[in-house]
Each structure stands twice: as C-alpha cells, then as structure tokens.
Amino acid sequence: MIEDVNLHLVPGAKDSIGNTVVRVLAKDLGKKYAVWEATDRRVYCDAEDDTVLSNPEVTSWTVRVTGLIRRRNALAGDYNSHVGHAYKLAFDGNLNGAVEMLRGTYEQISRRLMGESRLLYLTGALIISGLCELFCSYFFFFASVSEFAHRVIGGLAMAVLGGLMSVASRLHKQTFELPESRLLIMAYGSLRLVLALLAGVVAVLMINTGVALSFLLEHNEYGGILLACFLAGFS
C-alpha cells in the first residue's frame, strides 16, 4: 500500500520517512505511484503495487547505476532523473524499457567515469614529469656535477619524456575498475613515470658499465645514450 503522503509530494515537503523532497521525478494518481529525489541525493519510490521492484533485472541494474552515482555525488544531478524515469516505466508496466533505460544509463556513466579516470591518470604522470624535468634542468644546466652524473641527469630527463609519451599514446586503451578513488588513479599515473625514471637509470648504468650498447660510450655518442634512455622510459 502506498503512503498517502507520498502520493501528494511536492518539492520541499517531507516524505513518509522524513526526507525532504528536492524534486518529484514521476507521479501517477491513477496508478498510485510516486518517484522522488530527496536532499540526500537518492531516488525513492512508493507504489500501490511495488512487486515490479522485485524484478531481478530491474533490481540488478538499479543497484549498479545507483552504486556509481553514490560514489560521485556530482553525478546525481545528471542521472537521478534517468533512474526516476526507469522506475516510471516499470510502474507503467514496461519492464523491458526500464531495464534498457538503466542499462543505457550505466553505460553512459561508465564511459564518463572512464574518461575522467584517464584524465586523472595523465595528470598524475604530468605532475611527476614536470617536477623531474625542472629538477633535471637545474642540475644539467646550472649545477657543477661529474660527467657520469651529467649523463645520468640527461638520461633521466629523456626517460621521463619517453614515459610520458607512452602514457599519452596508450591512454585510450587504459582501463580502470569503476569507481576508483581519484587520488589512487593519479598515483597510478605517477607510478608509471617513476618506473620510467628507474628504467632510465638502469639504461645509463648498463651503457656505462658496458653491459649493453657500450659502443655508444666508446664513440662518445651522447645523443645515442639519450635516445636509449627515451626508449627505456617509453617501453
């Protein structure tokens, strides 16, 4: 049985459990159902016949969609109306339409979050690369260091550029578990650049000790050493 107060809700009113209504998303006095959004940014519903909400597909997709929305409160304003419309379709007897609406909304939110995650991943990489390039530039051009240290610093700068190029070129293929913490995703991007730095150091050490590409050192091919570090960071 639907609570009578819920059937006559308006924005600013209290629902049957004490939530303040922000907006009424759907209501039908004839079929006796109401769907609304409260100040906690959640969607609520009440109906004379609420057996449609026990439909496994409707329930499953509703949980998925609302799970994504609750992890990103900013999404509520854009997508709660989609959830409300899906409830309306279900109460009107169009269960297939409700499921399709929820599935489409889930896919739309997922694409949006994936795009945001990729941007955060790139941001983390850019932060580390920027800091490293500043550090390397100072010691390369202004500090008095040994020839070996000079070679390492140049190698680090090129390895970071290689790592950043790798991140940018493969960004469209990068996937993340949704929803992930924003800081965690930025940390992933930063870690990728740290690995590029380590690869650059290893490349310089291998060349300097003659383990690999020793001919670059023998012929004083500084440009070749930088290119090797770039490729090491990119890989």
Side-chain angles (χ1 to χ4, degrees):
M1 290 289 292
I2 186 172
E3 296 285 347
D4 187 64
V5 65
N6 292 337
L7 197 56
H8 298 88
L9 288 174
V10 294
K14 297 282 188 180
D15 63 20
S16 59
I17 57 176
N19 293 311
T20 301
V21 177
V22 173
R23 54 178 172 164
V24 178
L25 301 172
K27 181 166 61 175
D28 191 313
L29 298 179
K31 295 180 180 179
K32 293 187 176 181
Y33 68 78
V35 185
W36 64 95
E37 179 184 355
T39 51
D40 61 2
R41 309 308 296 275
R42 297 189 178 190
V43 177
Y44 297 87
C45 63
D46 196 5
E48 186 73 13
D49 179 13
D50 59 1
T51 56
V52 294
L53 297 180
S54 62
N55 179 279
E57 281 197 281
V58 172
T59 301
S60 175
W61 283 107
T62 299
V63 170
R64 294 184 188 183
V65 172
T66 55
L68 290 180
I69 292 174
R70 288 172 189 172
R71 291 294 297 271
R72 295 282 194 276
N73 286 331
L75 297 173
D78 295 330
Y79 295 104
N80 274 351
S81 59
H82 293 219
V83 177
H85 185 61
Y87 279 139
K88 180 182 185 303
L89 291 173
F91 288 132
D92 286 340
N94 187 1
L95 291 176
N96 290 333
V99 170
E100 287 303 313
M101 169 62 72
L102 291 168
R103 181 185 289 113
T105 301
Y106 180 83
E107 292 172 354
Q108 187 176 346
I109 296 175
S110 295
R111 286 193 298 269
R112 176 170 169 175
L113 290 178
M114 189 62 69
E116 177 188 289
S117 296
R118 286 170 178 160
L119 183 59
L120 290 169
Y121 183 75
L122 179 60
T123 300
L126 284 170
I127 290 172
I128 294 299
S129 64
L131 291 174
C132 182
E133 293 300 332
L134 287 173
F135 172 85
C136 291
S137 296
Y138 172 77
F139 282 96
F140 191 87
F141 293 108
F142 303 108
S144 178
V145 296
S146 66
E147 182 181 351
F148 174 71
H150 201 262
R151 194 176 296 133
V152 170
I153 291 168
L156 287 177
M158 292 304 295
V160 165
L161 290 178
L164 186 60
M165 182 69 74
S166 175
V167 168
S169 64
R170 299 169 183 171
L171 192 62
H172 66 288
K173 297 180 181 179
Q174 190 69 44
T175 59
F176 303 91
E177 291 292 329
L178 296 177
E180 285 271 24
S181 163
R182 291 173 176 171
L183 287 177
L184 184 59
I185 294 172
M186 289 182 67
Y188 290 155
S190 299
L191 179 60
R192 173 63 184 87
L193 267 291
V194 171
L195 293 176
L197 280 171
L198 293 176
V201 172
V202 171
V204 172
L205 290 175
M206 291 180 70
I207 294 171
N208 199 68
T209 57
V211 174
L213 303 176
S214 58
F215 66 90
L216 295 175
L217 195 62
E218 293 170 1
H219 295 86
N220 199 27
E221 291 288 345
Y222 189 60
I225 294 174
L226 294 182
L227 178 59
C229 291
F230 178 89
L231 294 175
F234 184 87
S235 62

